[in-house]
Amino acid sequence: MNDLFTFKGSLKKPAKAATLFVETCPTARPRWATARTSLASRRAWDRIEGYYTGVAPGAKLIGIGTGDILFIFWALAGFDYILDHRTAYNIKVVNNSWGTSGPFDPKDPINKATKKVSSKGITVVFAAGNEGPDQNTLNPYSVAPWVIGVAAGCKTEPDPTISAIHCADQTPQGRAPILADFSSRGVPGDPLYHPDVTAPGVHIVSTRASTGTVLNVLGRQTMT
């Protein structure tokens, strides 16, 4: 499988494609565990010591690595892989906890890819982003009408991890502490620029890599 770099502006002149190997490799070890690992684990785990249960216990997961550290290189190849294997693996949902900044462009290759995936009956989910609380800071890939954009919120009662400290009302309207202060915002009244749903995204209990170094980047835990 081949793919080109998908950075904006990188294709002004011909670029050489890189060969990707995405099938199972029993000796492979993850080099970088990020929010994507955390998201996958807390959706599918059944139970930890009889207490924690994910939102989709029993779900089967397919992990597709499309980059390294905080950079995404091979997203288009990842979507191609999903399209090619959707029937064999019964793929129903694609979760994307990555993105970029700037305006929504329906002609962007990523948006074209997610539209194609959605047209095949696969639900595409994108994180709204972590650039809040200013308005018009959404991850543009989450804005596409065929994508479900998800904002980060705090837990309501009970809230054992005290997530509400990151959800203080950013307006003088006395709103409940639900939307995270770092979660990207849309444009009030705009029919397109807004998250579709808000889900817990603050002080989430999840898995942790058994090896590597724990870093704290802007208050959010990342592991190498």
Side-chain angles (χ1 to χ4, degrees), residues 32-44 61-73 94-99 125-127 130 206-207 221-223:
W32 194 270
T34 65
R36 288 175 286 283
T37 303
S38 173
L39 282 166
S41 66
R42 68 176 182 258
R43 275 158 176 73
L61 303 177
I62 299 174
I64 300 176
T66 59
D68 196 10
I69 311 180
L70 299 179
F71 302 98
I72 302 295
F73 297 110
V94 179
N95 181 75
N96 300 272
S97 300
W98 57 276
V125 181
F126 258 98
N130 298 329
S206 185
T207 53
Q221 194 176 77
T222 306
M223 302 173 201

Side-chain angles (χ1 to χ4, degrees), residues 1 24 38 61 65 81 105 117 123 140 149 167 170-171 206-207 222:
M1 178 185 299
T24 301
S38 173
L61 303 177
Y81 183 85
D105 179 6
V117 170
T123 300
C167 291
Q170 301 294 320
T171 74
S206 185
T207 53
T222 306

Side-chain angles (χ1 to χ4, degrees), residues 7-8 12 40 47 57 85-86 88 98 108 110-111 120 173 188 204 213:
F7 287 129
K8 289 184 177 180
K12 292 182 179 180
R47 196 166 295 274
H85 297 81
R86 68 185 188 279
W98 57 276
D108 185 291
I110 297 297
N111 291 324
K120 299 301 181 180
Q173 301 175 12
I204 300 298
T213 303

Side-chain angles (χ1 to χ4, degrees), residues 14-203:
K16 184 178 180 180
T19 300
L20 306 181
F21 301 91
V22 294
E23 294 294 348
T24 301
C25 179
T27 59
R29 293 183 179 180
R31 293 186 57 196
W32 194 270
T34 65
R36 288 175 286 283
T37 303
S38 173
L39 282 166
S41 66
R42 68 176 182 258
R43 275 158 176 73
W45 67 25
D46 286 322
R47 196 166 295 274
I48 294 182
E49 296 181 354
Y51 187 76
Y52 297 109
T53 303
V55 297
K60 294 179 172 60
L61 303 177
I62 299 174
I64 300 176
T66 59
D68 196 10
I69 311 180
L70 299 179
F71 302 98
I72 302 295
F73 297 110
W74 321 114
L76 296 179
F79 287 120
D80 282 342
Y81 183 85
I82 290 167
L83 289 170
D84 291 341
H85 297 81
R86 68 185 188 279
T87 301
Y89 295 140
N90 194 31
I91 299 174
K92 298 297 184 183
V93 181
V94 179
N95 181 75
N96 300 272
S97 300
W98 57 276
T100 186
S101 59
F104 168 66
D105 179 6
K107 296 181 180 180
D108 185 291
I110 297 297
N111 291 324
K112 287 186 174 182
T114 59
K115 187 173 185 179
K116 181 65 175 294
V117 170
S118 176
S119 72
K120 299 301 181 180
I122 300 174
T123 300
V124 182
V125 181
F126 258 98
N130 298 329
E131 303 301 324
D134 291 339
Q135 295 180 8
N136 197 20
T137 53
L138 288 176
N139 169 13
Y141 300 145
S142 75
V143 175
W146 49 87
V147 165
I148 297 177
V150 184
C154 291
K155 309 174 195 73
T156 55
E157 296 296 334
D159 184 9
T161 62
I162 318 177
S163 63
I165 64 173
H166 287 289
C167 291
D169 183 21
Q170 301 294 320
T171 74
Q173 301 175 12
R175 295 178 177 176
I178 295 177
L179 185 62
D181 50 16
F182 61 82
S183 188
S184 294
R185 268 61 166 177
V187 178
D190 190 281
L192 186 64
Y193 280 81
H194 60 81
D196 297 296
V197 297
T198 300
V202 180
H203 292 184

